[in-house]
Amino acid sequence: MLFYSSYMLTALAALLVTCHALQKLPGTPRLPSVPGLPGRDGLKGQSRLPGLLESLDAQLVLLNLKHRLSRLEGVLALNGKIKEVGEKIFASNGKEVDFASALESCEEAGGTLAAPTNEEENKAILSIVKQYNRYAYLGIKEGETSDRFEYINGKPLNYTNWHQYEPNGKGTEKCVEIYTDGRWNDKKCNQYRLTICEF
Ligand code: MMA
Ligand code: CA
């Protein structure tokens, strides 16, 4: 999240201020119009903004969007609404529901159920579990026939954090919950557990 150097931010600010002053457009900055050339939106049947300017314009728009997104992520992280680890964002709606409903909520929101693929991700999920002091279902299930636990996309687990003597359900506990100490337990899928999604 803390991706931009102060130099980049200064350069960005200078560009934004310039564009803003030139165009008096709030929000997404635009390149000033070039005399004798159509604007970025172009005019049907006429020549378009030359490629170099067009690409600079696109880069500026992208930089501005990234900056705005990074600020929003800062706000959400500050308020404890999201945990970011690498490319993943973890978040909870605070609701306790069965496995199928939890997965459904996550997918409806454009994500999936949180499934840790390493210790760092497990810790991020654990911090949400501790925040609500509730066990949560993970995006991990025992295969229909394989009797092996796997990610819900069917891929094999590359990291586990089973509690001592778990998994012990021998096919009767097809879902996985994470305890408030971060360890995992295979568990029936019809319990009410905290929903934690990853995006
Ligand atoms: C419960 C249930 C199991 C778990 C054991 C651990 C009694 O069953 O949560 O999934 O393995 O507790 O003692
Ligand atoms: Ca168990």
Side-chain angles (χ1 to χ4, degrees):
M1 194 193 321
L2 299 173
F3 173 75
Y4 300 104
S5 68
S6 57
Y7 170 76
M8 279 179 72
L9 286 177
T10 309
L12 177 64
L15 278 167
L16 297 190
V17 166
T18 309
C19 286
H20 189 76
L22 284 167
Q23 295 260 138
K24 294 202 167 55
L25 278 177
T28 308
R30 314 292 286 265
L31 273 185
S33 56
V34 178
L37 289 172
R40 189 177 55 195
D41 296 335
L43 293 167
K44 255 213 159 82
Q46 297 194 12
S47 68
R48 296 173 45 74
L49 196 63
L52 179 62
L53 286 181
E54 206 165 51
S55 114
L56 280 173
D57 191 24
Q59 287 177 51
L60 184 58
V61 169
L62 262 182
L63 205 56
N64 186 31
L65 282 173
K66 284 181 187 171
H67 179 56
R68 297 182 70 105
L69 277 178
S70 138
R71 287 158 62 206
L72 282 177
E73 287 178 331
V75 171
L76 289 171
L78 177 70
N79 292 341
K81 302 291 185 193
I82 61 170
K83 308 284 168 194
E84 292 185 287
V85 177
E87 294 291 291
K88 282 191 186 177
I89 297 176
F90 297 108
S92 174
N93 59 7
K95 293 185 177 161
E96 290 171 90
V97 294
D98 66 26
F99 177 87
S101 306
L103 178 57
E104 197 171 276
S105 311
C106 290
E107 289 183 340
E108 246 174 52
T112 189
L113 262 181
T117 62
N118 55 50
E119 189 185 341
E120 199 187 5
E121 291 183 2
N122 201 70
K123 280 183 174 156
I125 294 167
L126 174 61
S127 72
I128 300 176
V129 164
K130 284 184 167 166
Q131 187 177 335
Y132 289 93
N133 195 28
R134 292 286 179 266
Y135 300 170
Y137 277 127
L138 298 177
I140 294 171
K141 266 197 119 167
E142 194 168 15
E144 308 261 297
T145 52
S146 76
D147 75 326
R148 259 207 290 272
F149 285 89
E150 51 193 37
Y151 297 112
I152 48 184
N153 64 14
K155 291 197 175 139
L157 297 185
N158 62 355
Y159 163 84
T160 61
N161 197 32
W162 296 113
H163 198 274
Q164 204 174 18
Y165 310 126
E166 307 293 348
N168 63 355
K170 301 192 174 84
T172 68
E173 300 182 312
K174 295 269 181 194
C175 287
V176 178
E177 65 185 354
I178 177 171
Y179 291 145
T180 44
D181 67 356
R183 296 277 168 186
W184 306 356
N185 172 38
D186 59 341
K187 190 76 179 178
K188 291 188 182 302
C189 301
N190 62 357
Q191 305 296 295
Y192 290 165
R193 293 290 178 265
L194 181 65
T195 304
I196 302 179
C197 312
E198 65 176 45
F199 299 90

